[in-house]
Amino acid sequence: MTTTSVSTAAGDDNDDSPINLLKDSQTLHSLQNPPQRLLPNHKNDDDFFSNPSDLTPQEIANHLFLNSEILAPMVRASTTPLRTLALSHGASLVYTEELVDRSITSPTERIINDELGTIDYRVPKHTYSAKVQRRLENDRDNPDAANGAVILRIDPTVERHKLIYQMGTGEPNLALDAALTVVKDVDGLDVNMGCPKKFSVSGGMGSALLGDMNRACDIIKTLRRNIGCNKPVSAKIRLLDEENPKPTVDFVRNLVKAGANAIAIHGRIRGDESHIMARWETLINVVKELKMYGDVSVPIIINGDLYTREDIREMKRRTGCDGVMLARPALYNISLFNRGKEEEKEGDGVGKAGGSNADGEEEVPISQFQQTNHSGHYGYKSPLLHSRTSIVQEYIAHCVRYRTHSKNAKYVVCEMMNARRAPSTRVPFLNMEYEGGQNIASVCKCRSLNDLIKVWDCKWTIPMPSAKSSAVLSGDGGVGVEAQGDLHNYDDRYFLDHDKFRKERSDALNNQLSLSKKKSASIGEEKKDDDAPTSKRPKI
């Protein structure tokens, strides 16, 4: 696979408009040597971490989370290409996708990948069923998958001091096993307490923990007391009530008491669909109330529908939060992380109704602000934003760099291209057109990274790491191997005919659960017969 690098001069360093990596030199502006103008949020990590053993977990958490802008954990999406792309556009911190505790422990292997300059956590091929093994072996578009499936790939050169591992867990001992497996390769550990998906909740994970405060706190306590290092422990939760802030405030206070060093709060409750507006008014009240308590002195991060920098500025002003986290908005346009020179520019003034609080002017209701087509320097058409076409092209280049499985790359590109999970009030303001006329149907026809490169007319590459940059890899028993493809599967109908596909999946899952219950009942009857006194057992 070959593409052509295009080298032209960089722009004026005094200009706060974003650098277009498609036009700039790939020798100077690469992932290994990113231009500082792309990283306005990054702090001086080398000075802070010069004596890491002297730091407390809370000091490290404050350094990582205060004034942070974070790429949220998104299943299938928050893999190495999107994380490194986010960092190149100014994200100060990135989360892995949620990885279930058992998936990261044995038989998963930690591999030092000398070729890619990464640390890989790989499930060996022989641990899969014969059917899956055959699929891996016969994957002609992703031949590296023949060695197994990579579930986590870390670039320690790019992600150093910026990576949080998020686990899906429901049990303290399993959470600890997972944490001890990866803790040396990440900068913090986060427990997912907000995922409402059936696979997560049915396993006692995700938002199921919101209904079991004792178990949620036990997980945090176990991690904080036993991980054997000063890496911070955090949790990502949802609002616990539509309007009343007290249940959420009480839950957060208990997590902090248990040892959590930071909390991220998503502005929706369990059961809220993503196309419904996030509950900003409740979120504002929750954060304000948390800031009133002396026992909550950890960073509080907000998340939910921050689609413009005007949204970010207004919610930071109204809540007093310590940072923001972007999920769907980052998929829409990841250059939203580019802060520019915010202190030099004024917003569109929508939130203040033409005056500041100091002047006694009444604020616009936050629900009205959420439905406003923000204009100006920080609005939907901000000059700080890259074109969405160039963003997709950059993402594909990152996929090539990290040899991402083409199916996963295609899935993320399709998510970037559609607005079906954006709030309906936002959709009219989102530009879904692309300069080359690409659409979801044309992307779904792609069967390899080469196909994606052709559809999107990608003309640049990201250089592989040098021997010097590879030297940062930790050698705790790892061995160099060929790169493997990650195993993220989905059906194209997920995007082409979502409603029908969703119903089919739901019916299939219900049938599977029904069969599972019948099987369990049958096993229970057999066990009952086995435990019966000899005289009552049927004759054979």
Side-chain angles (χ1 to χ4, degrees), residues 78-114:
S78 296
T79 53
T80 324
L82 192 70
R83 298 198 309 264
T84 54
L85 180 63
L87 290 172
S88 76
H89 281 279
S92 46
L93 204 60
V94 292
Y95 278 49
T96 69
E97 62 177 328
E98 176 195 7
L99 295 170
V100 175
D101 46 28
R102 286 188 175 93
S103 71
I104 203 72
T105 55
S106 181
T108 301
E109 302 171 330
R110 178 185 183 275
I111 304 292
I112 292 180
N113 189 326
D114 291 325

Side-chain angles (χ1 to χ4, degrees), residues 410-426:
K410 187 171 72 169
Y411 170 87
V412 176
V413 170
C414 286
E415 287 286 19
M416 290 176 167
M417 296 179 70
N418 81 86
R420 62 180 174 79
R421 286 204 267 185
S424 56
T425 54
R426 298 272 185 173

